[in-house]
């Protein structure tokens, strides 16, 4: 199979359709919204799209990558985590805060993320989706890298960073909204460091 | 004038109407949504409601109280601040975090606040309203009580608390969602203390 001419199989295939990728993404959005992140599966998404699961893997890779594409995130936040999680543990907080601020500074990331937060505020399904994705794709990885750390401490560190980007980019409270990123890093990194490493 | 039989004056009075209080609140919601918190005035709300400004003061008191009533907040957060802001500065962070968590634990406060946050995420006007109310009614008072403190530090402290209640009560991330409030106070109070007092 090549990306240019995917071969489709299975009882649900619809040979007349051209936008297979788009159909998979629509099916994925429906599956994630209905089941949440953890319970959704590539198999279920493939079934809903009427394609073979191998085709979903072929186009996107893992379930996490399907999610990132379906939510129109411009990249998988988890792809950027490894470069932050390796290195001197004494600067883990600083690297995390700097990466988090730089990602949120990109409008093409911020817009879909604000949409996810908004849908989390609007209903139970959105909250479940955000909770499970953040938990599975991000926080559990940070917890692994930081060593044996209480999940409550990881989440309190995340809360500090989430609160900063909400007040900075959504509520746009001054002077936080216009502050230099490095000024915020200097203030917040010791906090995150203390929660994660002690 | 007594609350039971308010006397109404002015060119815009509508003698046939009975729910004067409700009309003032509707006018206030419109005025706050259109002008934001800072630019809205009791005079403007009264004009829109077709009553004398004195009647608005009579029913509600200050502009802040009109806002609290219009937004259906069960109390004015600023009423609870003084009891937290007096006392040993060495425990200011602890008192603030404990009060903040206890307020958000009340569904009758949380529901309208989540509504405000949601409208802030949805559009510019909601963001302006939340930003100005939080800035005028809350953060400037905390900054005064903490002494000469950089507003950026006050907002970073607020960000920590805002992030915690969002992950705890809106996203409902476990174990944060079910954690004992005092366990969170123990984790977060030193952070807030460091930002505000150093």
């Amino acid at each position: 199979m090549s990306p240019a001419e995917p071969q489709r199989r299975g009882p649900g295939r619809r040979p007349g359709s051209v936008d297979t990728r788009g159909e998979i993404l629509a099916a994925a959005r429906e599956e994630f919204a209905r089941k949440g992140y953890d319970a959704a599966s590539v198999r279920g998404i493939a079934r809903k799209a009427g394609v073979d699961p191998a085709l979903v893997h072929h186009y996107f890779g893992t379930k996490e990558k399907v999610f990132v594409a379906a939510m129109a995130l411009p990249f998988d936040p988890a792809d950027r985590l490894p470069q932050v999680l390796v290195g001197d543990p004494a600067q883990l907080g600083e690297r995390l805060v700097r990466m988090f601020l730089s990602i949120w500074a990109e409008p093409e990331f911020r817009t879909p993320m604000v949409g996810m937060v908004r849908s989390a505020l609007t209903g139970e399904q959105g909250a479940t989706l955000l909770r499970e994705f953040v938990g599975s794709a991000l926080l559990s990885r940070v917890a692994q890298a930081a060593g044996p750390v209480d999940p409550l401490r990881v989440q309190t560190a995340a809360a500090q960073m989430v609160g900063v980007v909400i007040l900075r980019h959504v509520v746009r409270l001054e002077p936080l909204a216009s502050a230099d990123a490095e000024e915020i890093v200097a203030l917040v990194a010791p906090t995150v460091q203390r929660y994660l490493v002690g």
Side-chain angles (χ1 to χ4, degrees), chain A residues 5-135:
Chain A
E5 286 194 47
Q7 184 187 337
R8 297 199 281 166
R9 306 169 286 185
R13 71 180 184 278
R14 282 166 286 177
S17 158
V18 285
D19 185 15
T20 312
R21 198 174 178 283
E23 281 174 14
I24 293 172
L25 290 180
R29 275 188 288 272
E30 203 182 318
E31 177 90 348
F32 283 123
R34 207 164 60 84
K35 293 194 175 171
Y37 182 77
D38 290 342
S41 67
V42 166
R43 179 177 293 274
I45 291 166
R47 194 182 309 117
K48 196 160 274 164
V51 301
D52 192 277
L55 193 65
V56 177
H57 285 298
H58 167 74
Y59 271 116
F60 299 102
T62 61
K63 176 171 83 172
E64 188 171 310
K65 300 288 180 196
V66 181
F67 181 83
V68 166
M71 295 298 147
L73 298 180
F75 56 85
D76 186 348
D79 284 344
R80 302 220 185 162
L81 269 180
Q83 71 206 57
V84 172
L85 298 179
V86 298
D88 186 353
Q91 271 87 50
L92 177 61
E94 189 180 322
R95 291 194 301 274
L96 271 173
V97 173
R98 188 175 286 124
M99 181 200 69
F100 196 73
L101 289 177
S102 76
I103 288 178
W104 275 81
E106 302 170 23
E108 65 273 30
F109 176 82
R110 194 163 68 238
T111 305
M113 277 307 292
V114 167
M116 278 182 69
V117 175
R118 189 186 301 145
S119 97
L121 289 169
T122 309
E124 186 47 47
Q125 288 181 331
T128 303
L129 196 57
L130 187 63
R131 173 173 65 239
E132 292 181 349
F133 177 67
V134 169

Side-chain angles (χ1 to χ4, degrees), chain A residues 142-162:
Chain A
V142 173
Q144 279 166 19
V149 55
D150 181 353
L152 189 64
R153 299 183 75 95
V154 177
Q155 296 180 1
T156 309
Q160 171 70 84
M161 294 190 280
V162 164

